[in-house]
């Protein structure tokens, strides 16, 4: 049960959604965009969130796009993680999506909801970072299409009233060899101790991480060190890990020392699998 009342809106255009957000915010209703609702409902049930209005974006056609235009794959932010996995349009993204939660939850959890999640893992963003994808955002100032690197820095930095509509990925990246590895504390379902996603481009291996620090990231300096093939791989990994962008997570799922051990071994396994020794 959700222990408070709230208004529920289902706009059918992005413009209507943005206008609703503006009007509801003026009325002090602290509106939230609502996608799968799994996080909003979970947090609402335990009083960590209490919006007085939610704006469901799932009926907006652009949020449900799954198409290739001009050699670019366009994915709507309201596609569920199950859909992303099942259609195999972007295999690495599908695998990253399949590592989140359980199938029943993934039928609800959306691409946009995972990337905009208040939970720190946001694992589904890793393939978008690796492929220099772009995102389309709708907001009070209209639409904008920008590189994910411009708006994602640990989390998606949106202006008030903006929401994620689509991701756009160059098809050439989607065909590249890839690896996706998620290590958990015990079972096949759970938050990551370490998640690594990687692709092999023509010139180098690109790597992105979740579960290692308090936010998902891709680091140019780490990638540069990991690709110096004149140096033995184990040494490259040691050198790269000096440049983690923040302290290693140390929590109930795993101590920092354990995570670092898992990270080293997982990186070794991932880079070898892509022929990067
Ligand atoms: C059982 C379970 C296990 C999980 N395990 C993992 C895990 O291992 N790894 C992991 O990465 N995550 C995990 N999660 C977290 C999960 O992926 C997200 O928190 C997901 O639940 C939110 O997706 P949603 O579509 O339901 O979003 P919602 O609950 O609808 O929204 C979540 C937040 O995102 C905002 N939002 C949603 N869509 C948009 C949009 N298009 N534009 C702007 N803001 C938006 C909302 O306003 C809200 O603040 C788990 C969740 C569950 C329930």
């Amino acid at each position: 049960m959700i222990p408070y009342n709230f208004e529920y809106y289902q706009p059918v255009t992005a413009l209507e959604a943005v206008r609703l957000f503006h009007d509801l915010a003026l009325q002090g209703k602290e509106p939230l965009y609502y996608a799968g609702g799994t996080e909003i409902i979970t947090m609402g049930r335990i009083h960590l969130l209490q919006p007085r209005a939610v704006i469901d974006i799932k009926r907006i056609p652009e949020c449900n796009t799954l198409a290739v235009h001009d050699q670019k794959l366009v994915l709507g932010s309201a596609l569920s993680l199950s859909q992303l996995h099942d259609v195999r349009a972007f295999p690495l993204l599908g695998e990253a999506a399949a590592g989140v939660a359980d199938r029943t939850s993934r039928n609800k959890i959306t691409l946009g909801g995972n990337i905009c999640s208040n939970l720190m893992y946001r694992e589904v963003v890793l393939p978008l970072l690796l492929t220099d994808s772009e995102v389309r955002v709708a907001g009070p100032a209209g639409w904008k299409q920008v590189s994910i690197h411009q708006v994602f820095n640990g989390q998606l930095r949106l202006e008030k009233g903006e929401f994620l509509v689509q991701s756009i990925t160059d098809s050439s990246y989607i065909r590249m060899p890839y690896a996706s590895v998620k290590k958990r504390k015990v079972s096949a379902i759970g938050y990551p101790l370490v998640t690594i996603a990687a692709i092999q481009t023509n010139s180098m291996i690109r790597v992105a991480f979740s579960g290692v620090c308090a936010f998902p990231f891709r680091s140019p300096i780490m990638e540069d060190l990991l690709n110096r093939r004149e140096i033995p791989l184990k040494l490259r990994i040691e050198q790269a890990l000096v440049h983690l962008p923040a302290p290693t997570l140390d929590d109930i799922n795993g101590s920092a020392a354990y995570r670092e051990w898992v990270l080293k071994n997982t990186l070794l396994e991932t880079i070898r699998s892509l022929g990067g020794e």
Side-chain angles (χ1 to χ4, degrees):
M1 199 190 94
I2 300 175
Y4 56 88
N5 291 324
F6 59 93
E7 293 169 18
Y8 174 80
Y9 295 90
Q10 247 188 344
V12 292
T13 67
L15 182 64
E16 194 188 341
V18 169
R19 283 194 179 142
L20 268 170
F21 190 100
H22 177 260
D23 293 347
L24 293 164
L26 276 185
Q27 294 165 35
K29 293 187 176 160
E30 299 176 14
L32 282 178
Y33 289 115
Y34 181 104
T38 57
E39 185 174 306
I40 293 177
I41 292 172
T42 306
M43 292 176 78
R45 280 183 180 144
I46 52 174
H47 302 278
L48 285 176
L49 209 58
Q50 202 164 326
R52 290 174 53 209
V54 299
I55 303 164
D56 191 334
I57 59 168
K58 290 195 294 298
R59 286 182 65 197
I60 300 171
E62 290 89 342
C63 293
N64 291 292
T65 307
L66 201 171
V68 178
H69 294 303
D70 301 329
Q71 304 293 321
K72 289 177 194 294
L73 176 68
V74 184
L75 296 173
S77 63
L79 294 173
S80 72
L81 300 193
S82 293
Q83 282 174 294
L84 293 176
H85 175 257
D86 296 349
V87 297
R88 307 291 295 163
F90 186 168
L92 173 56
L93 186 69
E95 279 197 31
V100 172
D102 54 277
R103 175 83 193 188
T104 309
S105 302
R106 289 195 297 271
N107 290 344
K108 290 274 178 204
I109 298 173
T110 61
L111 171 66
N114 182 265
I115 294 174
C116 300
S117 171
N118 290 295
L119 281 182
M120 66 179 127
Y121 305 110
R122 307 177 193 114
E123 289 178 75
V124 176
V125 80
L126 303 185
L128 302 184
L129 294 174
L130 292 174
T131 54
D132 298 334
S133 293
E134 294 187 322
V135 288
R136 284 188 90 194
V137 170
W143 291 77
K144 66 181 181 194
Q145 183 169 329
V146 291
S147 164
I148 184 107
H149 302 299
Q150 249 176 282
V151 283
F152 192 90
N153 178 10
Q155 65 188 80
L156 201 63
R157 313 279 170 180
L158 297 177
E159 303 292 334
K160 186 169 181 186
E162 286 184 335
F163 70 100
L164 178 66
V165 180
Q166 291 169 337
S167 71
I168 297 141
T169 305
D170 199 300
S171 298
S172 60
Y173 281 117
I174 291 169
R175 293 187 287 272
M176 288 175 180
Y178 68 89
S180 176
V181 187
K182 178 168 179 173
K183 302 282 186 188
R184 304 169 181 85
K185 186 176 173 187
V186 272
S187 65
I189 295 173
Y191 296 134
L193 263 180
V194 169
T195 294
I196 299 181
I199 60 169
Q200 166 83 72
T201 69
N202 296 334
S203 54
M204 66 187 296
I205 292 175
R206 299 182 177 186
V207 197
F209 305 85
S210 171
V212 176
C213 302
F215 49 85
F217 66 92
R218 177 180 163 203
S219 155
I221 184 165
M222 287 176 68
E223 267 175 17
D224 179 47
L225 290 163
L226 289 170
N227 279 280
R228 294 192 179 173
R229 293 196 185 206
E230 66 282 9
I231 299 172
L233 179 55
K234 284 189 179 171
L235 184 56
R236 276 184 262 158
I237 291 175
E238 294 287 347
Q239 291 173 345
L241 296 193
V242 171
H243 295 278
L244 284 173
T248 310
L249 282 178
D250 190 339
D251 61 20
I252 191 164
N253 290 314
S255 66
Y258 181 57
R259 260 178 221 272
E260 281 166 19
W261 181 81
V262 175
L263 175 59
K264 274 182 205 167
N265 289 302
T266 312
L267 255 181
L268 195 66
E269 180 188 322
T270 306
I271 292 176
R272 276 186 179 149
S273 76
L274 290 173
E277 182 121 25

